[in-house]
Amino acid sequence: MHYKVIFPKVLFPVALVRVPSRCFSGSRRNNYQVTVIGGAGGIGQPLSMLLKINRMITKLHICDIAKFIPGVAVDLSHIETPSVVKGFKSPEQLGDALEGADIVIMPAGVPRKPGMTRDDLFKINAGLVKSIMEQIAASAPKALVAIITNPVNSVVPIACETMKKAGVLDPNRIFGVTTLDTVRANTFIAEAKGLNPYEVKVPVIGGHSGVTIIPLISRTTPKVSFNEEEIKKLTVRIQEAGSEVVEAKAGAGSATLSMAYAGVRFANSLLRGLSGEKNVIESAYVMSQVTSLPYFATPLVLGKCGIEKNLGLGELNCFEKNLLDKAISVLKKNIDAGIEFANLPECKKEHMS
Ligand code: NAD
Ligand code: LMR
């Protein structure tokens, strides 16, 4: 017996039904190892739970600095799916957790509190991402790395610079996870038009904070029409949706459950690409040449080695071109800060953090 996906958008097997094994084509690889770094956290725990019920994963390694990480692994291991879960304590066992990983997902790091911007997290999370990437460079240089940690706009350049320094950078394998922006855009536009959210697709490009998040509402499928005022309001809501959660949680953190969903949606797309499925498209913030900036989020075709093709910006209307102009100057500062940090001598880094 195997499990059949009956979730309408076929993202991952949320609803599990036992069906005979002949329902599955056996030709594609479906024995991947995923390592979650930050697996005991607000995102890490539900993310790991959703990964545990993914049929393509046979080994799930969860790693955290939290003392109770072995307990999270034991808890997950009781779920009646075949994948094997192991817990690892960071930093001592980080190398072991990474060994053999096809995909590394990183929700490690500090989240925002009300009144903070994502950039305020740079002080703590920049150094953390750098040291984790050094270990990834040593133990899993060929893994696809999906970085959730904020500020995404700056830590992805830090990650790439760190891999470059170690001589193992493959820009097609390092991703800043912006899927939550897409998920929110789909949800809000479906709500506004009374559509089934499973059917709505809104491309979101740029970066992952405030004005750098650029929803391309004009390219929504199915086609939707809004007046100018409505488009402005929806755009701002999508750009500020992270703060909507931070404020509603009133000091208890930022988005965790919707992020876990988005993280697993992204991981599942990476797995589908790795397994040879064609036309797997997902947006992410990556090293890029589609604008004047060295990093930018656009829709990507995912394949056996990560990014197979960058689909670029596509056509933007006047309103969206203005959003792009505003995003570029902010993104440039965020990217420069990341590159500068990654290349500072160790002693100076202490002063920055
Ligand atoms: P959290 O504090 O609940 O969990 C973070 C976990 O990381 C903790 O368990 C902590 O022990 C662990 N950790 C810290 N340093 C580590 C290290 N060096 N190695 C391994 N584990 C380590 O926070 P959260 O709510 O899960 O958020 C995590 C990060 O994700 C934050 O930076 C947050 O801003 C970001 N985030 C990003 C998005 C996005 O769309 N990309 C969405 C939501 C949150
Ligand atoms: C989000 O978009 O929810 C995350 O980036 C967390 C945050 O700080 O807003």
Side-chain angles (χ1 to χ4, degrees):
M1 297 295 250
H2 282 279
Y3 298 96
K4 183 183 180 188
V5 179
I6 58 162
F7 197 51
K9 226 176 181 180
V10 197
L11 299 177
F12 44 83
V14 164
L16 295 165
V17 183
R18 284 178 189 270
V19 292
S21 32
R22 66 182 135 69
C23 292
F24 294 96
S25 85
S27 57
R28 290 218 179 105
R29 193 185 145 194
N30 61 357
N31 59 345
Y32 293 96
Q33 179 186 317
V34 176
T35 299
V36 180
I37 307 179
I43 297 167
Q45 290 202 38
L47 173 74
S48 301
M49 185 185 78
L50 293 169
L51 293 169
K52 175 72 174 104
I53 60 172
N54 186 308
R55 280 184 297 116
M56 296 177 82
I57 299 166
T58 46
K59 285 188 191 166
L60 179 60
H61 287 187
I62 56 167
C63 182
D64 204 293
I65 54 170
K67 281 202 189 101
F68 60 92
I69 190 70
V72 179
V74 171
D75 188 357
L76 286 169
S77 74
H78 291 184
I79 295 174
E80 53 168 352
T81 58
S83 52
V84 176
V85 186
K86 278 192 191 158
F88 297 83
K89 181 84 173 55
S90 197
E92 315 83 279
Q93 299 175 322
L94 180 57
D96 295 335
L98 289 165
E99 204 72 49
D102 297 290
I103 295 180
V104 178
I105 309 184
M106 196 196 298
V110 177
R112 282 200 283 166
K113 288 197 181 335
M116 290 171 81
T117 66
R118 291 180 185 82
D119 291 341
D120 293 334
L121 303 173
F122 186 96
K123 283 197 172 115
I124 298 171
N125 291 348
L128 178 155
V129 168
K130 184 169 183 291
S131 66
I132 292 171
M133 289 308 298
E134 282 166 351
Q135 190 63 62
I136 292 176
S139 304
K142 294 278 178 204
L144 304 183
V145 182
I147 302 172
I148 293 172
T149 312
N150 270 316
V152 169
N153 294 356
S154 300
V155 298
V156 171
I158 292 174
C160 290
E161 288 293 309
T162 308
M163 295 296 268
K164 202 198 297 179
K165 271 194 181 170
V168 292
L169 173 65
D170 178 350
N172 292 328
R173 293 174 190 265
I174 313 280
F175 303 86
V177 181
T178 57
T179 320
L180 184 53
D181 302 316
T182 306
V183 165
R184 287 167 170 159
N186 293 346
T187 305
F188 300 161
I189 285 175
E191 264 170 23
K193 285 289 167 197
L195 295 168
N196 179 346
Y198 294 135
E199 308 300 334
V200 175
K201 283 193 186 141
V202 189
V204 182
I205 62 168
H208 177 68
S209 74
V211 297
T212 72
I213 299 169
I214 309 172
L216 303 178
I217 297 173
S218 71
R219 300 227 305 268
T220 301
T221 52
K223 198 108 198 97
V224 287
S225 77
F226 292 105
N227 65 35
E228 219 180 293
E229 208 42 47
E230 289 169 329
I231 290 196
K232 278 188 193 158
K233 263 189 152 170
L234 273 166
T235 300
V236 172
R237 181 158 184 225
I238 295 161
Q239 291 176 328
E240 293 304 325
S243 303
E244 194 180 299
V245 180
V246 170
E247 277 150 34
K249 287 197 174 175
S254 55
T256 53
L257 303 173
S258 51
M259 183 59 238
Y261 168 88
V264 170
R265 169 177 154 160
F266 187 69
N268 201 48
S269 295
L270 290 179
L271 287 167
R272 287 164 54 213
L274 279 178
S275 75
E277 188 177 324
K278 294 288 163 211
N279 298 319
V280 179
I281 297 173
E282 202 66 74
S283 288
Y285 179 73
V286 296
M287 226 177 189
S288 159
Q289 297 180 339
V290 305
T291 67
S292 57
L293 300 169
Y295 295 87
F296 204 80
T298 41
L300 310 165
V301 180
L302 300 172
K304 289 191 171 177
C305 301
I307 303 172
E308 204 156 79
K309 189 176 176 196
N310 191 322
L311 296 177
L313 298 179
E315 210 173 304
L316 310 190
N317 66 19
C318 260
F319 177 73
E320 291 158 354
K321 279 183 190 150
N322 279 333
L323 294 179
L324 177 63
D325 288 344
K326 278 194 198 138
I328 283 193
S329 59
V330 177
L331 260 178
K332 183 169 179 349
K333 285 190 195 129
N334 294 161
I335 294 166
D336 288 348
I339 294 176
E340 190 195 338
F341 179 86
N343 292 300
L344 275 178
E346 289 309 314
C347 53
K348 293 212 171 142
K349 237 168 254 166
E350 308 249 311
H351 293 296
M352 267 185 97
S353 52

